[in-house]
Amino acid sequence: MQLASIDLLIFIAYVAMLITIGYLVSREKSGHQKNTRDYFLAGKGLPWWAVGASLIAANISAEQIIGMSGSGYAIGLAIASYEWIGAITLILVGKYFLPVFVRKGIYTMPQFLEQRYDSRVKVVLAVFWLGVYVFVNLTSVLWLGALAINAIAGVELLFGLLFLGLFSAAYSLYGGLKAVALTDIIQVVLLVLGGLVLSYLALDLIADGRGIIAGFIELTQRAPEKFDMILAEDNPHYMSLPGLSVLLGGMWVVNFAYWGFNQYIIQRALAAKNIEEGQKGIAFAAYLKLLMPLIVVLPGIAAVVLIPNLERPDQAYPQLMNLMPVGFKGLVFAALVAAIVSSLASMTNSISTIFTMDIYARYQPGRSEKHYVRVGRTAAVISLVLGMICAQPLLGQFEQAFQYIQEFTGFFTPGITVLFVLGVFWSRTTANGALVAAISSALLSLVMWKWWPELPFIDRMGLVFLICLVLAVIISLLETRDTAATHRGGGEAVAIGEISFTTSQGFNLAALGVTLILAALYATWW
């Protein structure tokens, strides 16, 4: 279905505005040459509102909007646990992990692992993250984005992929993280506005024009099974969201790995002016996360009533947009593309950061700042090209892309979480213990996936996390008992006593507010 002229004008205006603003904020003062601190960490000058907006813009993308709406269509409100538990995870990351990362003065998560353990752990995880970002995250955003553009505007998939890649490069490649983060403010406003408009219009359609309250009540009456937050064992989607394990088990492993130790997310907080600005930005992002199910899950549930019997759940959001009136469709379409390109820009910037600072600079030390920035830009371009080439072969056959992404990354996230939790909170953890945890995570997950298929993947992640934790502790205890600390091959342990976890009154009140809201939401929709 083609967009009307007014919708196209709205969309074209958005594209032109974003590219222009990206160029303007990327310019440096006369005589200043952009260096790695400027390009990869926005000159360490982001205010809290830019940090918070950029965190959400990097997170909410095609796989989140299209994928979670599809899961909302298939599963229901229970999929919102990824969003709501993510909100409280952000608060914990801001209080307990961000101060450690800022004190270390790092650019990337692999750099922390090198400082805490050794270069082997750094290289292994850097290579892993590069692979996942390019062949899982980047490809999924490109593919689902191209599918959405195809369903809404009738653009061929190949041209959709090319457009998204070129658009994200056009406004972010020159300026780096600063261009990405500052334009993300516009992206988030548009994303929230467009998503709320879509939810409003969908509910109003369900109520035949009687308003969103009447529409929501009717939706809960016509699809009551879609409003269970904790799924029973006889639910057909229990394997995806296994009951109380969502609240008490592996879901926490997913969220800590994503919000605390994921380069293209935490990089925004590392680029804050100071620790206090970073924490305020994280608190702001936590409240935006509480709002996200209204934007990414509720439309999918509404589609159960408005567009039943879809061939694929991931068609829910694009097909729902085709029901929107002229003008509104252009706004919602621009919001969807805003989410896609902001995540693409974030991912490519983080890919270039890890490749340049953790891989290239290791083997080509002492080169000029200008040279490293140029290498970073080249790495970003290559990653986009690889993502566009691999998108369809890797993702074309999956019905619920969001669930695919969680399933695949769940092979590795337990080990990553063990590395960082022990690395921060237990000084006796050794590099060999960390390596065993990282490698065991992938091997154990693969074995359980192959020979224990009836185990829900969230439970699998929780179980693998516990096993990897025990293995890392045992090996570390054996090494520290038998070998002098100076010969362990480990890096500098984090001196917890030297780091203040005291947070401002404003941050504490924000944390309390998030906790109370979550308690009310789960009590209501249990």
Side-chain angles (χ1 to χ4, degrees), residues 291-318:
L291 184 65
M292 283 301 113
L294 288 177
I295 295 169
V296 298
V297 179
L298 187 58
I301 300 175
V304 173
V305 172
L306 292 172
I307 323 169
N309 304 317
L310 287 175
E311 291 182 7
R312 290 162 54 105
D314 283 343
Q315 293 175 341
Y317 198 93

Side-chain angles (χ1 to χ4, degrees), residues 103 492 495-500:
R103 174 182 175 269
E492 175 193 357
I496 295 297
E498 299 176 9
I499 299 173
S500 173

Side-chain angles (χ1 to χ4, degrees), residues 103-388:
R103 174 182 175 269
K104 288 287 187 178
I106 57 174
Y107 280 64
T108 70
M109 292 295 98
Q111 279 185 337
F112 171 80
L113 295 176
E114 181 178 42
Q115 292 181 21
R116 177 57 184 86
Y117 299 116
D118 64 15
S119 59
R120 296 173 303 157
V121 181
K122 169 188 173 178
V123 172
V124 168
L125 270 295
V127 171
F128 155 73
W129 268 310
L130 287 175
V132 169
Y133 289 162
V134 174
F135 297 110
V136 178
N137 297 110
L138 204 60
T139 53
S140 64
V141 172
L142 284 163
W143 176 245
L144 287 172
L147 281 177
I149 292 174
N150 173 261
I152 297 161
V155 177
E156 291 293 331
L157 290 174
L158 175 60
F159 294 113
L161 288 169
L162 289 172
F163 166 75
L164 291 172
L166 292 173
F167 183 18
S168 65
Y171 82 89
S172 66
L173 193 61
Y174 174 70
L177 184 62
K178 183 178 180 181
V180 174
L182 294 182
T183 52
D184 276 347
I185 300 163
I186 300 167
Q187 311 273 50
V188 164
V189 171
L190 193 58
L191 168 65
V192 172
L193 179 61
L196 291 178
V197 165
L198 181 61
S199 295
Y200 172 88
L201 293 173
L203 292 174
D204 195 51
L205 278 173
I206 291 173
D208 293 325
R210 290 180 288 117
I212 58 171
I213 303 299
F216 185 75
I217 292 172
E218 185 167 343
L219 180 60
T220 58
Q221 293 171 346
R222 293 174 65 178
E225 72 282 0
K226 301 297 181 183
F227 287 89
D228 294 329
M229 284 298 301
I230 305 299
L231 302 184
E233 286 191 38
D234 59 354
N235 190 289
H237 299 288
Y238 182 81
M239 286 291 291
S240 296
L241 293 164
L244 284 174
S245 294
V246 174
L247 285 181
L248 305 175
M251 183 71 80
W252 291 99
V253 177
V254 177
N255 275 285
F256 273 110
Y258 184 86
W259 290 105
F261 321 130
N262 183 354
Q263 178 66 28
Y264 82 84
I265 294 297
I266 200 67
Q267 191 169 338
R268 281 108 189 90
L270 296 179
K273 291 179 178 178
N274 50 53
I275 182 63
E276 290 78 16
E277 287 289 292
Q279 288 173 328
K280 285 194 290 185
I282 283 178
F284 176 41
Y287 279 92
L288 290 175
K289 287 297 286 181
L290 295 177
L291 184 65
M292 283 301 113
L294 288 177
I295 295 169
V296 298
V297 179
L298 187 58
I301 300 175
V304 173
V305 172
L306 292 172
I307 323 169
N309 304 317
L310 287 175
E311 291 182 7
R312 290 162 54 105
D314 283 343
Q315 293 175 341
Y317 198 93
Q319 292 297 324
L320 193 61
M321 284 182 61
N322 285 331
L323 300 178
M324 299 297 104
V326 172
F328 286 107
K329 188 185 295 184
L331 175 66
V332 178
F333 183 51
L336 176 61
V337 174
I340 295 166
V341 297
S342 64
S343 286
L344 287 175
S346 298
M347 290 172 191
T348 52
N349 184 262
S350 292
I351 289 167
S352 69
T353 306
I354 291 178
F355 176 80
T356 305
M357 304 306 292
D358 295 321
I359 304 295
Y360 186 83
R362 172 181 172 83
Y363 298 103
Q364 293 289 328
R367 305 298 289 267
S368 69
E369 293 282 304
K370 182 179 179 180
H371 176 80
Y372 289 132
V373 170
R374 186 166 62 249
V375 169
R377 288 177 178 143
T378 303
V381 171
I382 292 173
S383 67
L384 272 174
V385 172
L386 285 174
M388 287 187 281

